[in-house]
Amino acid sequence: MPTLIIKTNAPLESTATESLLKRASARVAELLGKPERYVMVILEPTPAMCFGGDTSPLAFLELKSLGLPEDQTPALSAALCELLDETLEIPSNRVYIEFASPPRHLFGFDGKTF
């Protein structure tokens, strides 16, 4: 059930959107060692955003996963920032990432909870 939400004000072409979604999905599955068929990626493009008084391209990410290994968040942060730099040219110092590991009974799928 890994879920990655990407909010960014970086300009996106329609072809870049699909590429980013697919690359992010594969990367999250690889990083967390989970089957990609359970990975969800949500892209919320072009919200009004400002970071440090500057509206240059930036991003806010949320990565949620059952059993998210807290000791791996530095590596996850580095990998996700690298992905955004490669795909959207957003430098890592313009990215915030929130990590969460919800309790199994508070995450639903297919009419039940995990």
Side-chain angles (χ1 to χ4, degrees):
M1 63 63 47
T3 304
L4 176 66
I5 301 170
I6 303 170
K7 299 176 185 182
T8 182
N9 65 346
L12 286 165
E13 301 293 328
S14 60
T15 54
T17 298
E18 185 173 343
S19 174
L20 173 59
L21 289 169
K22 289 181 176 184
R23 286 183 67 179
S25 179
R27 191 72 175 126
V28 166
E30 175 189 349
L31 289 167
L32 295 177
K34 298 202 177 182
E36 189 175 1
R37 70 180 177 272
Y38 295 116
V39 175
M40 181 181 288
V41 179
I42 302 164
L43 177 61
E44 296 181 16
T46 64
M49 299 177 80
C50 180
F51 182 34
D54 184 359
T55 59
S56 298
L58 64 117
F60 175 74
L61 281 62
E62 297 174 62
L63 179 60
K64 298 179 184 191
S65 183
L66 297 174
L68 183 83
E70 290 184 22
D71 63 334
Q72 291 182 19
T73 55
L76 293 169
S77 181
L80 292 171
C81 284
E82 181 180 330
L83 174 70
L84 290 180
D85 188 36
E86 291 172 356
T87 57
L88 301 176
E89 298 181 355
I90 299 175
S92 61
N93 66 351
R94 303 277 302 154
V95 179
Y96 274 160
I97 305 171
E98 178 183 356
F99 297 98
S101 180
R104 298 179 90 64
H105 70 283
L106 293 181
F107 213 95
F109 170 70
D110 197 20
K112 49 192 173 276
T113 59
F114 287 93

